[in-house]
Amino acid sequence: MRSYGQYCSIARALDVVGDRWTLLIVRELLLRGACRFTDLKAGLPGIATNLLSARLKELDEAGLITREDAPPPVATVLYALTEDGRALEPAVRALGRWGLRRMGEERPDDAFRAHWLAYAPAWFTTAADPEAPAAVIQLVASGEEAVIEIDGGEVRTRVGRAASPDLVLDGPPRAVLGLLTGVIDLARATELGLSGQGDMDVLRRLRPVEGDVPGAPSATGF
Amino acid sequence: MRSYGQYCSIARALDVVGDRWTLLIVRELLLRGACRFTDLKAGLPGIATNLLSARLKELDEAGLITREDAPPPVATVLYALTEDGRALEPAVRALGRWGLRRMGEERPDDAFRAHWLAYAPAWFTTAADPEAPAAVIQLVASGEEAVIEIDGGEVRTRVGRAASPDLVLDGPPRAVLGLLTGVIDLARATELGLSGQGDMDVLRRLRPVEGDVPGAPSATGF
DNA sequence: CCGTATCCGTGGAGATACTG
DNA sequence: CAGTATCTCCACGGATACGG
């Protein structure tokens, strides 16, 4: 990317990560940890291989990622964020929090991945009642599965299935994520096709983070 | 900008503000408040007028800014952020905080503006001792002037000159900003050409924000 | 003076085919 | 599986000319 030529930390940040796809590659590496070219490609539907290749080279040169040969059994290159790269997390998070207000807009052809279902509650909610017993929520949306584990004051998430969740939420991504992030209420989520099985009260254990997340459903189409 | 086509709040945010120049335009509007086309152009050295025009149109359509006719004496269009646009501040801030680690890299031809000198201490420092009396620091860097007013727990800044500052810092932008944001120490700042007149102790009233700002000077060239 | 519109050269983006 | 090579095309940057 051509430099902005401005002595301003925002411009300098964008000199490095302002290119198309770059921050989404960082997102993938933040969510997945060290992974292969093919994993990245799978998590970045729509990217061309030459572009992914070029961006990884740029990120490497900028010192944001490392390319290391995996140990023998794997025998491939693994990409991972450096400390400098991981330090982008607050910026990526803040962008994602702002982006929540655009999640109501319906675009049925959008790609969707299980780990995106997972990171949203991890990044944009907190545990409401640290004293309460641990709880597990199974999420299913567009066939993608993720698990929320609320334990003490912590909200952890992962891709996949839980053995015996307290609650199973199933529905279109808009309904599941909108409800979890507090952008819509249960009634609206149900209208959008959400179905819940189990103890719906555990939902109260998740509190959407404050900040720029709109408390009231704005006119975004939810 | 072409949509990423991903149902992910980060991707959706970048669908709106991921274009080249867009976040820098938001930066200008955050720092200046409502302003004219020409003011924006002045704060965005390097942008072509057609691009600025195009971006403003896109931002308007996306609902991030308003274009309102200024009252008679001015008789021009004023651009201002909507609530949705202002909500980007945390994201812009987080990017700027990350970008601090690239401010050590010397690039003498970079443009520099007084309001960039002003926002850095406002966004990236806090008052260390809320109980202490008010203090005023005059900044001068590359001919650009800004004022820091520390009052109670608050750090306010503005462009321009102060009547009787407790301290005047003068030097190249790298030295002044590096010192204020805590990326370099006084000795290094002096090496880089910083000169201070007045009570250097008021510098202790400013504490760099924690987070991803590198506490220790990393190998970035400072 | 403020802002928009047009033209053109260059480079980055996207799609796809292909190779170690 | 992990990229590289190639091709087309649009977006960007820069200059300039134009309308209010």
Side-chain angles (χ1 to χ4, degrees), chain A residues 57-206:
Chain A
K57 195 170 297 176
E58 292 160 12
L59 284 170
D60 189 16
E61 282 161 5
L64 301 205
I65 65 169
T66 55
R67 328 156 51 99
E68 40 182 280
D69 297 309
V74 185
T76 183
V77 178
L78 285 184
Y79 297 91
L81 291 171
T82 61
E83 188 273 328
D84 229 31
R86 277 193 306 277
L88 274 167
E89 187 182 315
V92 174
R93 248 165 125 129
L95 257 182
R97 207 153 63 223
W98 185 82
L100 285 183
R101 42 180 89 207
R102 305 269 152 174
M103 295 291 275
E105 191 185 320
E106 192 158 17
R107 292 191 332 206
D109 291 343
D110 271 6
F112 187 60
R113 297 286 183 269
H115 57 294
W116 306 342
L117 183 58
Y119 85 80
W123 281 5
F124 307 134
T125 70
T126 55
D129 180 8
E131 309 302 321
V136 174
I137 304 176
Q138 175 74 52
L139 304 179
V140 186
S142 290
E144 305 289 335
E145 300 177 333
V147 180
I148 307 178
E149 292 161 331
I150 309 166
D151 189 5
E154 211 182 351
V155 176
R156 257 173 295 105
T157 65
R158 58 183 171 83
V159 170
R161 283 217 143 268
S164 53
D166 299 287
L167 171 64
V168 179
L169 293 180
D170 193 337
R174 274 211 304 163
V176 177
L177 286 179
L179 178 66
L180 290 173
T181 54
V183 187
I184 56 176
D185 60 16
L186 183 53
R188 180 73 184 122
T190 307
E191 272 177 46
L192 290 173
L194 184 86
S195 78
Q197 288 184 10
D199 178 13
M200 294 297 279
D201 282 346
V202 301
L203 282 175
R204 287 185 218 181
R205 303 282 305 282
L206 290 176

Side-chain angles (χ1 to χ4, degrees), chain B residues 19-21 46 50-51 55:
Chain B
D19 259 326
R20 187 163 168 79
W21 290 108
N50 56 350
L51 260 194
R55 291 288 178 273

Side-chain angles (χ1 to χ4, degrees), chain B:
Chain B
M1 152 170 286
R2 188 193 169 91
S3 165
Y4 285 107
Q6 300 183 1
Y7 192 69
C8 156
S9 66
I10 300 157
R12 291 226 164 167
L14 292 173
D15 280 346
V16 182
V17 297
D19 259 326
R20 187 163 168 79
W21 290 108
T22 302
L23 277 179
L24 293 186
I25 294 171
V26 172
R27 172 198 72 191
E28 285 300 307
L29 289 167
L30 282 171
L31 299 181
R32 292 174 182 269
C35 62
R36 299 170 302 170
F37 187 91
T38 313
D39 301 324
L40 289 173
K41 183 159 170 47
L44 295 163
I47 199 172
T49 57
N50 56 350
L51 260 194
L52 178 53
S53 185
R55 291 288 178 273
L56 288 171
K57 194 169 298 178
E58 292 159 12
L59 285 170
D60 189 16
E61 282 161 6
L64 301 205
I65 64 169
T66 56
R67 326 154 54 95
E68 39 182 281
D69 297 310
V74 185
T76 183
V77 178
L78 287 183
Y79 298 92
L81 291 171
T82 60
E83 188 275 327
D84 229 31
R86 276 193 306 277
L88 273 167
E89 186 182 316
V92 173
R93 247 168 128 126
L95 258 182
R97 208 151 65 224
W98 185 82
L100 285 182
R101 42 181 88 206
R102 305 271 152 172
M103 295 292 275
E105 191 185 318
E106 193 157 17
R107 292 190 334 206
D109 291 343
D110 271 5
F112 187 59
R113 296 287 183 270
H115 56 295
W116 306 342
L117 183 59
Y119 86 79
W123 281 6
F124 307 134
T125 69
T126 55
D129 180 7
E131 309 301 321
V136 174
I137 304 176
Q138 175 73 52
L139 304 179
V140 185
S142 290
E144 305 289 336
E145 300 178 333
V147 180
I148 307 179
E149 291 161 331
I150 309 167
D151 187 5
E154 210 182 351
V155 177
R156 254 172 298 105
T157 65
R158 58 182 172 85
V159 169
R161 283 217 143 269
S164 52
D166 300 287
L167 172 64
V168 179
L169 293 180
D170 192 338
R174 277 212 301 163
V176 178
L177 287 178
L179 179 65
L180 291 173
T181 54
V183 187
I184 57 175
D185 60 17
L186 184 54
R188 181 72 185 121
T190 307
E191 273 177 45
L192 291 174
L194 184 86
S195 78
Q197 288 184 11
D199 178 13
M200 294 296 278
D201 281 346
V202 301
L203 281 176
R204 288 183 219 185
R205 303 282 306 282
L206 291 176
R207 197 197 329 271
V209 291
E210 296 95 45
D212 57 307
V213 179
S218 55
T220 51
F222 263 110

Side-chain angles (χ1 to χ4, degrees), chain A residues 2 36-38 49-50 53 67 76 79:
Chain A
R2 188 194 168 91
R36 299 170 303 170
F37 188 91
T38 312
T49 56
N50 57 349
S53 184
R67 328 156 51 99
T76 183
Y79 297 91

